[in-house]
Amino acid sequence: MLASGLLLVTVLAFLVVMVLMSVWKQRKLSGKMPPGPTPLPFIGNYLQLNTEQMYNSLMKIRERYGPVFTVHLGPRPVVVLCGQEAVKEALVDQAEEFSGRGEQATFDWLFKGYGVAFSSGERAKQLRRFSIATLRDFGVGKRGIEERIQEEAGFLLDAFRKTNVMKHLPGPQQQAFKELQGLEDFITKKVEQNQSTLDPNSPRDFIDSFLIRMQEEKKNPNTEFYMKNLVLTTLNLFFAGTETVSTPLRYGFLLLMKHPDVEALRFCTTIPRGTEVFPMLGSVLRDPKFFSNPKDFNPKHFLDDKGQFKKNDAFVPFSVGAPIDPTVYLSQTVSNVINSIVFGDRFDYEDKEFLELLRMMGQINRFAASPTGQLYDMFHSVMKYLPGPQQQIIKNTKELEDFMVRKVKQNQSTLDLNSPRNFIDSFLIHMQEEKKNPDSEFNIQNLVMTSLNLFFAGSETVSSTMRYGFLLLMKYPEVEGEAGSGAGKGEPQMLQPLF
């Protein structure tokens, strides 16, 4: 009985101390930070935020406090930037001051400030310069990377060929096959009609010209001018000149019918160094100072008085400012392209270890963007000791680190200082060159974490973008030729700080 009473008193005393410390910190910072809703001790503004609709929650707070305001994510104060002027001033005009990395508990547990993606200050500068230079040495951003991409594309096509079973299954594709065969039969009849009345000295159309070329090259064993190519080339032209052109016109007329009217910051507060900042890019794209009707489809947003295209500084779909992360050069690659650079080799698509690594990275990303992940980001100091999905994420991050440590050790055992094979070799050689430099950031921990940064970004980040792109095209095949013609109506579910 006495023991349980002492335990209860200890817990209550601990909670009181935490509350008092939280209040003290909030009062200490309140006079220096931009305005914002009053936070509660420890939980901050959690009760005012909907973690499933974080963007909408922050935009509601913006309506009251303006484009620059402070919210407390748990005990952590964060400055939120909304609109083109505020975001531009931070990420462009004061890029150096805002170049640090914010806190993100899901990844910080593993990286702990090491590696090119999650470090700040001098460490980030050294690793960034080296990473960009080394990736370029191995072809990234140059013509040499095309060979790696083409090679990997060949493996991808082989994998598709091995799994092409849908043509044998029932479904709408069977009707499409039937209609394509009907179109081919129609073109075949047209070709036969032209053949029966052909005058080699007076071609009447494309089919006649192709038939005459066939006659001229009939003795050429390598010619591509024969009946099958004539039928299908004519079908290509017929299809493109009919359906492909008419579809954009049809949608254009529908938009004009629906919208006939379209026919013809300066910061005044001091932000303490080290404070996290969230630039709300969604608010830039809906900034009423730059878009007269920010929630409506209105081409006038991008047209001048003469109806000509004009640049709109608030159109920033991919953020603003000069890119500082070397993974930007990997936007056109798939996982094995970056693997061939980091590790000097690729994985087979059926490699069980590779599949498990991709699964774990996907699980980590989904957790970070989920309401539970956002809750963990706010209260990780407590939640890391509690049961829940975050424990599996912690386990996954450890396994990813162990994998990368093994890859580094393999390279160390076979390293040739005069012949670097990949990114890891180049980093190891640079470690040797700087081993007498006490301020060097080239050590094993930064090597492991930077290699993991690149592996993660080149695998999960790029593949997620491609996966969602393919899913959208499968769901909306009619817009395949109109990608980028308009913005979607969905709101971002999770906004990460961009520094």
Side-chain angles (χ1 to χ4, degrees):
M1 186 72 177
L2 180 61
S4 61
L6 288 173
L7 178 61
L8 179 60
V9 170
T10 302
V11 171
L12 289 174
F14 175 74
L15 292 175
V16 169
V17 170
M18 289 186 65
V19 169
L20 291 175
M21 288 183 64
S22 178
V23 172
W24 177 75
K25 287 182 180 180
Q26 290 168 9
R27 287 185 176 180
K28 183 180 179 181
L29 290 172
S30 61
K32 301 178 181 179
M33 302 287 281
T38 302
L40 295 174
F42 187 65
I43 66 172
N45 298 120
Y46 175 72
L47 298 179
Q48 295 159 284
L49 299 172
N50 181 352
T51 54
E52 295 184 358
Q53 295 289 335
M54 182 66 82
Y55 178 86
N56 291 338
S57 297
L58 294 174
M59 289 302 98
K60 285 182 179 179
I61 296 175
R62 175 201 184 184
E63 293 174 3
R64 179 174 179 181
Y65 294 99
V68 181
F69 58 89
T70 303
V71 293
H72 286 71
L73 303 181
R76 191 168 97 247
V78 171
V79 173
V80 179
L81 309 180
C82 300
Q84 191 269 349
E85 291 182 5
V87 172
K88 177 179 177 293
E89 180 162 352
L91 302 191
V92 179
D93 299 343
Q94 301 186 49
E96 185 64 26
E97 289 79 359
F98 286 83
S99 62
R101 294 295 302 186
E103 184 179 314
Q104 192 173 17
T106 304
F107 298 101
D108 287 348
W109 188 92
L110 169 62
F111 294 104
K112 298 180 179 68
Y114 290 94
V116 68
F118 293 97
S119 57
S120 298
E122 185 60 28
R123 175 179 296 169
K125 291 179 181 179
Q126 289 188 33
L127 297 178
R128 190 184 307 138
R129 284 195 296 266
F130 174 82
S131 298
I132 291 175
T134 304
L135 290 173
R136 282 181 172 172
D137 288 343
F138 284 101
V140 177
K142 299 180 180 179
R143 186 173 296 276
I145 196 66
E146 292 181 11
E147 296 179 3
R148 298 178 189 269
I149 295 173
Q150 290 173 359
E151 179 185 17
E152 195 59 38
F155 288 113
L156 182 62
L157 289 174
D158 289 342
F160 280 154
R161 292 189 185 102
K162 292 177 183 178
T163 58
N164 186 17
V165 297
M166 286 193 67
K167 65 181 181 181
H168 305 295
L169 301 177
Q173 71 273 17
Q174 299 301 333
Q175 181 61 33
F177 295 154
K178 182 179 178 181
E179 291 171 352
L180 285 171
Q181 184 60 54
L183 289 169
E184 182 179 358
D185 294 342
F186 164 75
I187 296 297
T188 300
K189 291 178 183 177
K190 298 297 290 185
V191 169
E192 291 173 351
Q193 290 174 9
N194 277 50
Q195 271 185 309
S196 64
T197 58
L198 178 66
D199 180 355
N201 298 314
S202 180
R204 299 159 294 183
D205 49 36
F206 177 85
I207 294 176
D208 275 6
S209 298
F210 201 107
L211 287 167
I212 293 169
R213 186 66 177 268
M214 284 172 56
Q215 290 288 330
E216 295 172 352
E217 295 208 8
K218 62 183 178 181
K219 294 182 180 180
N220 178 5
N222 299 317
T223 185
E224 292 294 339
F225 291 91
Y226 47 83
M227 189 58 67
K228 191 69 175 178
N229 270 337
L230 168 55
V231 170
L232 295 184
T233 298
T234 306
L235 181 56
N236 292 157
L237 296 172
F238 179 59
F239 206 106
T242 306
E243 179 60 25
T244 308
V245 174
S246 65
T247 297
L249 287 172
R250 184 166 62 249
Y251 277 89
F253 283 125
L254 287 173
L255 284 171
L256 289 175
M257 291 170 66
K258 185 176 181 181
H259 306 282
D261 53 305
V262 302
E263 197 167 1
L265 165 80
R266 281 291 168 187
F267 300 147
C268 57
T269 54
T270 301
I271 301 175
R273 183 173 296 277
T275 301
E276 290 186 63
V277 177
F278 282 12
M280 305 298 290
L281 295 182
S283 69
V284 178
L285 294 167
R286 293 176 176 82
D287 193 330
K289 292 182 180 179
F290 290 82
F291 302 100
S292 57
N293 299 296
K295 295 183 180 180
D296 298 332
F297 168 77
N298 189 349
K300 286 185 178 179
H301 293 151
F302 303 94
L303 301 176
D304 61 20
D305 295 335
K306 297 180 180 180
Q308 301 298 312
F309 175 81
K310 68 176 181 180
K311 181 181 178 181
N312 192 319
D313 290 336
F315 185 63
V316 288
F318 304 109
S319 187
V320 296
I324 59 172
D325 191 332
T327 58
V328 70
Y329 298 105
L330 309 177
S331 59
Q332 299 298 316
T333 66
V334 289
S335 179
N336 269 332
V337 176
I338 194 64
N339 294 341
S340 67
I341 295 172
V342 177
F343 309 132
D345 198 6
R346 64 180 298 279
F347 289 97
D348 185 83
Y349 288 137
E350 297 181 3
D351 187 296
K352 291 183 178 179
E353 183 180 43
F354 183 45
L355 294 175
E356 179 62 12
L357 292 169
L358 294 178
R359 184 195 68 78
M360 288 190 293
M361 288 188 290
Q363 191 175 26
I364 292 170
N365 255 9
R366 288 189 294 273
F367 173 81
S370 69
T372 304
Q374 295 178 51
L375 193 66
Y376 177 67
D377 199 39
M378 297 180 193
F379 307 109
H380 61 276
S381 60
V382 175
M383 289 184 66
K384 65 184 178 182
Y385 300 111
L386 302 178
Q390 69 273 13
Q391 297 303 329
Q392 181 61 48
I393 299 304
I394 292 173
K395 181 181 177 182
N396 286 354
T397 56
K398 180 58 178 173
E399 290 184 24
L400 287 170
E401 181 182 9
D402 291 343
F403 160 77
M404 196 58 66
V405 169
R406 291 197 300 272
K407 299 295 288 186
V408 169
K409 288 181 178 178
Q410 289 173 10
N411 278 53
Q412 278 183 305
S413 64
T414 57
L415 178 65
D416 181 350
L417 297 177
N418 298 313
S419 180
R421 299 158 294 183
N422 48 46
F423 180 87
I424 294 176
D425 274 6
S426 297
F427 201 107
L428 287 167
I429 292 170
H430 207 71
M431 283 173 55
Q432 290 288 330
E433 295 171 351
E434 294 212 354
K435 62 182 178 181
K436 294 183 179 179
N437 178 7
D439 300 319
S440 174
E441 292 293 344
F442 293 88
N443 50 52
I444 287 294
Q445 188 73 357
N446 270 331
L447 168 56
V448 170
M449 295 305 171
T450 298
S451 300
L452 188 53
N453 291 157
L454 296 174
F455 179 53
F456 205 112
S459 300
E460 177 59 25
T461 308
V462 175
S463 64
S464 293
T465 304
M466 294 182 67
R467 184 166 63 251
Y468 277 96
F470 283 128
L471 288 172
L472 284 169
L473 289 176
M474 290 171 66
K475 187 174 182 180
Y476 304 104
E478 69 274 8
V479 303
E480 185 174 356
E482 303 174 53
S485 62
K489 296 182 179 179
E491 299 288 358
Q493 299 300 303
M494 170 79 171
L495 288 173
Q496 297 295 345
L498 301 171
F499 298 98

